[in-house]
Amino acid sequence: MTEDGLPFFVYGTLLPGERNHDRFLTGRVRGQCPAVLPGALLYHGPGYPYAVEGPGAVRGALVTAAPGAYGELLAVLDELEGYLGPGHPRNLYERVARPVVPRPDGPDGLYVPDGPHRAGDRADPARPVRAWVYLAGAAVTRSLRTGGTPVPGGDWLARHPRPGPGVP
C-alpha cells in the first residue's frame, strides 16, 4: 500500500474536545474512530503529549481527510507538529506510518473511513489500519527516555478530570 492518502492517528490536543481539534480538523476530516497505537508510550510535554516507540499502547483517534482536503490537512498537521521532513534534526515530531487498531466500541466509533467505506460503516477491530502517526523527534525522544513523565495508561484525555459544560 502506498502511504499517500493514509489516515492520521491523533492522541493529544487534536482529539475531540481538546484545543486543536476544531482549529485544525473541523472541515478537513470526514470521519474519526477511537483507536489504539500499539508499541508506543505516551509522555507529558509542555501542554501537549509526545508518543515514543516502546512497550505499551497509546489511546487516540483515527481520522481521515475529507475529499479534496488531504494535502491541506497533511500540510497543517506537519506545521503544527514541527515536522520539517524525514529525519530532519530539528523535527519536534517525526511523521511515520504505523499500524493502528480501530476501537469502534467508543462513543464516536462508527467507522474507519479508509478506502471505499461510507459513514456508518463499522470498523473491524481485528484489522489494524496503516496510518500516519507523529512520534517524538530523535532529540525529544532521548530527553523523554531519560527524564520524561509518562502519561498513565497512554490516554491523554484521562490525564486529569475535564470540566463539565459551563465550567471554566
Side-chain angles (χ1 to χ4, degrees):
M1 170 185 215
T2 177
E3 293 177 351
D4 293 338
L6 289 179
F8 298 85
F9 176 76
V10 299
Y11 55 83
T13 64
L14 289 166
L15 289 169
E18 293 295 299
R19 72 175 185 259
N20 285 325
H21 180 271
D22 290 348
R23 181 174 174 203
F24 291 95
L25 299 183
T26 297
R28 294 183 176 115
V29 301
R30 75 172 190 189
Q32 59 191 18
C33 175
V36 174
L37 172 65
L41 300 170
L42 196 62
Y43 285 90
H44 286 278
Y48 48 86
Y50 292 102
V52 301
E53 292 181 344
V58 174
R59 298 180 68 80
L62 195 59
V63 297
T64 299
Y70 189 83
E72 177 188 5
L73 181 60
L74 182 64
V76 298
L77 293 181
D78 281 353
E79 183 175 345
L80 172 68
E81 306 295 6
Y83 175 71
L84 303 172
H88 194 286
R90 291 192 353 238
N91 280 346
L92 185 58
Y93 290 88
E94 193 73 39
R95 178 170 36 92
V96 297
R98 293 288 185 269
V100 174
V101 180
R103 297 292 308 260
D105 53 327
D108 299 327
L110 293 179
Y111 79 109
V112 177
D114 61 340
H117 298 285
R118 301 277 185 252
D121 286 354
R122 296 236 174 242
D124 180 355
R127 189 192 86 186
V129 174
R130 196 161 171 79
W132 286 125
V133 179
Y134 290 91
L135 297 177
V140 174
T141 296
R142 283 191 298 276
S143 175
L144 292 169
R145 289 192 190 282
T146 59
T149 303
V151 174
D155 187 347
W156 179 250
L157 296 180
R159 73 196 182 283
H160 58 73
R162 294 173 58 180
V167 177

